[in-house]
Each structure stands twice: as C-alpha cells, then as structure tokens.
Amino acid sequence: MGMILISALSMGAIGAVLAGFLAFADKKMKVEEDPMVEALTGALPGSNCGGCGFAGCRVFAEALMKGNALPNACVAGGSETSKAVAEIMGVDAGSMKRNIAVVLCKGGNNEAERRATYRGEMTCTAETLTGADKSCSYGCLGLGECVDACKFDAMAMNENGLPVVFYDKCVGCGACARACPRNIIEMHPEDHKLFVYCRSRDKGAYAKKVCKVACIACGLCVKDCSAPGGIALKDNLAVINHDVAPQNDESIKRCPTKCILYGIEESVTRSNYFASIRK
Amino acid sequence: MELILIFISASLINNFVLTYFLGICPFVGVSNKTENALNMGFATTFVMTLTAAATWPIYNYVLVKFNVPFLQYVAFIIIIAALVQFVEMYIRKASPSLYRALGIFLPLITTNCAVLGLALFMVMREYSFLESIVFGFATGVGFTLAIVMMSGIREELEFADIPKHFQGISITLIIAGMMALAFMGFAGLIRG
C-alpha cells in the first residue's frame, strides 16, 4: 500500500513540476504569429508553384501582409483565390488577366528533320548539352521536360513528339517556360491569339530544308498585316507585336509554311485532347 | 580520461544507431537531405544532453530515494516528452524556418527510442552526473554523425541506377547495414 502511495505521489510530483515548467516556458516563449498569415496561407492553393514571383505560398502570404504583393498575383488559384484573399485582406479583388503557356514550335517528328539519333539521358537539358539530334537548333527536342515541370496536369506530349498545353488547365505559372532549355514556351495573356509558331533564326532556305513548318522570313504576313508595325521581321523570323497586331486572321492566309496561326490555343482542352487520341 | 573514453565509446564504438539499432525512424525518415539531417541531429543532440541532465537527478534523488526505481520507464518517458515540448517551443521562437523544415519529426523525437535508451543505459551503467551529461552529448554526436553520413550517401544515391525492387527504403536499409558493418571496425579502438 505504502509503495503504491509513494509511486503515485512521486509521479504526480514529477508531472506537476514538468507541467509548471512547460507552462512557464510557454508564456516566456510565445511566438507572435499573425493569424492573418495563417488564414491567407490556407486560402492559397499550396502548390508552391512560384507563379506569383515569390518562393512559395507562405512567403507570398507574408508579402501580402507587408503590402509587397497584390491580392490577385496568385495565378494558380485564379479568380476564386484572389477573391478569397481579397476578402481576408478586406480590399477589392480587382480584375485579373490569366496568362497561358504557348509552345512556339510545330516541328514535331513528322515535320522536322533529325540529323542523328540521341541516346543519352532523356531530358531536354541534357540533350541540349550534346548539341541535340534535331537539325533545327531552335526547335522542340520532344523529351517533355516542360510536361514534367507542369504541376497542374496542363500539358502532355502528343504522338508527334510535341508538347500541348491544355487551355482549360493552364494557370500560367510559367514553370514549363522556365524548364525549356530552348526557350520555345512563352507566357502570354489569354487574349493574345496570333502567334508565329517557330523560333528558328536560320536563313529561310536552311530553315525550310530541315523543317516543313519553319518560318522562312518571306515577309508575306508583314505585308498582309492590316495594322502597320503589327508584324515585323527580325533575325529571319516574323515577330508579332501584340500591342499593335490586329486580333484577326487576315495576315496568316498566305503563309507558305503555315507557321503563323490564329486562335488555335484555346481549342485544346484536356478532355477533348484525350478524347481525340482515344479515337 | 574516463570522460573521453565515454565520449568515444558512445559516439563511435557503441554508436546508438549503428550498433544498438536505436532511433532508426528518424535515421531513415529525415536522412534524404544533408541540411535537414544536420538540423535533426542538432535537435536530437540538444534533447539528449538535456535528457541526461534531467533524468539523472530525478532517478537518483527521487526514484532511488523513495525506493521505486521500477518507475524509471514511466518517469523517463514523461521527462523526455516535456523536454521535447520545450525544445519545440524554443526552436519555433528561435528559428521558424528550422521549425518548418523539421516539421513532424520534431515531436517525433519524443518517441525516438534512442533518447529513452540513453536514459536507461545511463542508469544501468551507474554513471555519475557529469559522466551522464557527457554520455548524453556523445550519443547525440554519434546520432548526428550517423544520420549526416547516411544523408550524404542518399543524396548521391539519387543519381544512381538502382534496380526497381531495391529503390526507396530497401536500399536505405541495406546501406544502414553496411554502415553498421563499417562501424564495427571501431570496436578495435579499445581493448578489453
């Protein structure tokens, strides 16, 4: 009986002393954490994509609190997230434009020539280091590093060896554009519809020899463009000035290689892409 | 001299992780990045040293005095739990980034059997107070050494071509076994 009593008392005493010590430490070491930061972090998607320009969702939330970021800067979450964030912050969400990734190369396995067979590490970055197997030194290598970089299931490699962006899934974080060693992917606001799907700066004759859909810098689109200065030739490549160029398909009609196209990005959604390959 | 011997014995020869196989959970769980492994090692070393310092007086002045040494398991567990809570508060205050990096593994030090093992060995070997603290610190150093070495190897392994069925935890356990074999070599340091 005595032993049980002693056991209970000694354990109780040890427990009480420790509890007191912890309670004291808790008071002393209280961390002043802003509950707003917690709430904001909770409202963000949490994918840490870096699309807002900050290192992660939490860092973005802290920047929001300090006033260094705009509530609608989160591209991954879209308008719903910016609405939620603005509600927590107590400000007006404002309108925001979504960016989407555009793959500026149409020279897949069927169109572009390969001068060798690459058998190394199957990533585009590694292949770039070897000089790559494509004759065109500006075209897509087709190993899908951009698809691996996408965290939103918004990209896939098609059977022609080119990446496709799903218009409905892309949040405009730009991870694919950063992953591409040849800088083929550009980020554009979704109201841009006219693109030259080629990055080749080779002379027209060579560009056409190695790829059926290369821009050969013939200048027909420049002549046909209804807005002056909308399309210009630079380094053997037609370059579109999106601020000036008309948003219509007038200028693309005479393109001999059909590398300038209008409004095709928005036609590809995830569901209709997979429906089309199942057929 | 005795203290140096205890230090070398606990950190190298009788390394907790690699000869007693205590504390395998964080050893496997937090050893994928050297930076995190090092932080985990430091946190564990800190907890172990404090544990040694806190359990010795309680064992000798409370449990032995009242003739209830069989309570050591229960007593040690609550002391360790309280200390880990304290360390968690301290790290949260001192370094929020470290707090986030350690994440769930920080409270898991509570259930790290190496810490309880340390307290029990300390009692079993009848160390003095100073010896206990050196023993606790040396055990932590040994744990840090093992986990950092493991993380170094695992970072290299990222690039290795491992057969499919050995990938992940299996290759980690195989490497732990090899490291344990290598650490057996230290047994020759002290004769007798």
Side-chain angles (χ1 to χ4, degrees), chain A residues 19-244:
Chain A
F21 167 68
L22 278 184
F24 176 72
D26 189 39
K27 275 267 163 56
K28 271 274 165 208
M29 302 214 184
K30 191 141 192 88
V31 180
E32 291 297 325
E33 268 204 359
D34 203 330
M36 287 271 275
V37 174
E38 289 294 321
L40 285 172
T41 314
L44 294 169
S47 54
N48 295 320
C49 68
C52 52
F54 293 93
C57 292
R58 200 186 162 83
V59 184
F60 175 58
E62 280 164 11
L64 273 173
M65 286 307 301
K66 285 184 196 140
N68 294 338
L70 288 172
N72 61 8
C74 178
V75 282
S79 59
E80 268 170 49
T81 300
S82 44
K83 217 179 276 172
V85 166
E87 210 165 277
I88 297 169
M89 305 269 299
V91 294
D92 187 33
S95 59
M96 83 172 214
K97 234 181 235 174
R98 182 176 72 141
N99 272 0
I100 91 151
V102 184
V103 182
L104 297 177
C105 178
K106 291 281 174 207
N109 297 334
N110 300 333
E111 294 88 7
E113 181 189 289
R114 285 185 191 263
R115 60 186 171 192
T117 307
Y118 175 74
R119 282 206 194 137
E121 171 79 15
M122 290 315 239
T123 67
C124 304
T125 307
E127 191 177 342
T128 308
L129 292 176
T130 68
D133 58 0
K134 259 200 178 161
S135 304
C136 171
S137 50
Y138 301 93
C140 174
L141 298 172
L143 295 179
E145 213 165 312
C146 46
V147 177
D148 293 339
C150 182
K151 290 178 187 158
F152 298 93
D153 293 337
M155 289 184 98
M157 298 303 293
N158 66 15
E159 70 280 10
N160 196 16
L162 287 173
V164 287
V165 178
F166 304 133
Y167 189 78
D168 54 337
K169 291 277 181 185
C170 183
V171 298
C173 69
C176 50
R178 288 191 291 274
C180 180
R182 291 195 152 181
N183 297 326
I184 290 162
I185 304 176
E186 279 184 1
M187 305 308 297
H188 281 277
E190 57 185 332
D191 54 0
H192 289 182
K193 290 179 179 174
L194 186 67
F195 292 103
V196 178
Y197 290 91
C198 183
R199 300 286 270 177
S200 171
R201 280 149 178 83
D202 286 326
K203 288 237 165 68
Y206 180 76
K208 196 173 183 183
K209 191 178 144 220
V210 297
C211 179
K212 285 181 205 159
V213 291
C215 172
I216 55 171
C218 61
L220 285 176
C221 54
V222 178
K223 278 178 211 143
D224 290 352
C225 181
S226 52
I231 307 175
L233 284 183
K234 200 185 165 209
D235 299 336
N236 299 316
L237 185 64
V239 178
I240 293 167
N241 182 348
H242 285 279
D243 295 332
V244 183

Side-chain angles (χ1 to χ4, degrees), chain B residues 10-183:
Chain B
S11 58
L12 291 178
I13 302 160
N14 293 323
N15 187 296
F16 263 44
V17 180
L18 295 173
T19 46
Y20 291 130
F21 294 103
L22 294 171
I24 297 293
C25 164
F27 181 63
V28 174
V30 204
S31 60
N32 44 9
K33 269 194 196 146
T34 308
E35 206 191 334
N36 289 354
L38 201 60
N39 289 336
M40 185 67 187
F42 284 149
T44 313
T45 307
F46 189 52
V47 172
M48 282 175 164
T49 315
L50 280 181
T51 304
T55 47
W56 194 88
I58 288 190
Y59 180 76
N60 285 289
Y61 294 132
V62 180
L63 299 184
V64 171
K65 196 166 184 183
F66 291 110
N67 202 20
V68 281
F70 57 86
L71 281 178
Q72 56 177 337
Y73 296 93
V74 191
F76 290 172
I77 287 172
I78 57 167
I79 292 168
I80 292 165
L83 280 174
V84 172
Q85 280 294 312
F86 173 72
V87 170
E88 192 176 345
M89 280 181 217
Y90 178 75
I91 290 183
R92 191 165 185 194
K93 172 109 180 152
S95 163
S97 56
L98 176 58
Y99 178 75
R100 276 203 293 278
L102 288 176
I104 184 67
F105 289 102
L106 192 56
L108 275 183
I109 298 178
T110 316
T111 53
N112 187 341
C113 52
V115 184
L116 181 63
L118 153 88
L120 293 174
F121 274 127
M122 187 186 88
V123 166
M124 206 189 292
R125 294 176 188 171
E126 296 176 346
Y127 284 141
S128 72
F129 183 61
L130 195 59
E131 283 170 346
S132 299
I133 292 181
V134 171
F135 180 60
F137 178 68
T139 306
V141 169
F143 178 82
T144 312
L145 188 71
I147 197 172
V148 168
M149 278 166 57
M150 181 55 142
S151 67
I153 297 174
R154 279 183 73 179
E155 278 188 355
E156 294 297 316
L157 270 185
E158 295 270 306
F159 306 106
D161 192 13
I162 303 164
K164 196 181 170 206
H165 301 94
F166 285 113
Q167 279 172 11
I169 227 73
S170 0
I171 193 76
T172 311
L173 289 176
I174 290 170
I175 285 166
M178 288 178 181
M179 281 170 72
L181 273 177
F183 263 66

Side-chain angles (χ1 to χ4, degrees), chain A residues 228-265:
Chain A
I231 307 175
L233 284 183
K234 200 185 165 209
D235 299 336
N236 299 316
L237 185 64
V239 178
I240 293 167
N241 182 348
H242 285 279
D243 295 332
V244 183
Q247 291 295 334
N248 60 40
D249 54 359
E250 244 349 272
S251 32
I252 73 171
K253 286 182 179 156
R254 285 205 289 162
C255 179
T257 56
K258 301 285 174 229
C259 68
I260 180 166
L261 295 165
Y262 178 78
I264 59 157
E265 292 293 330

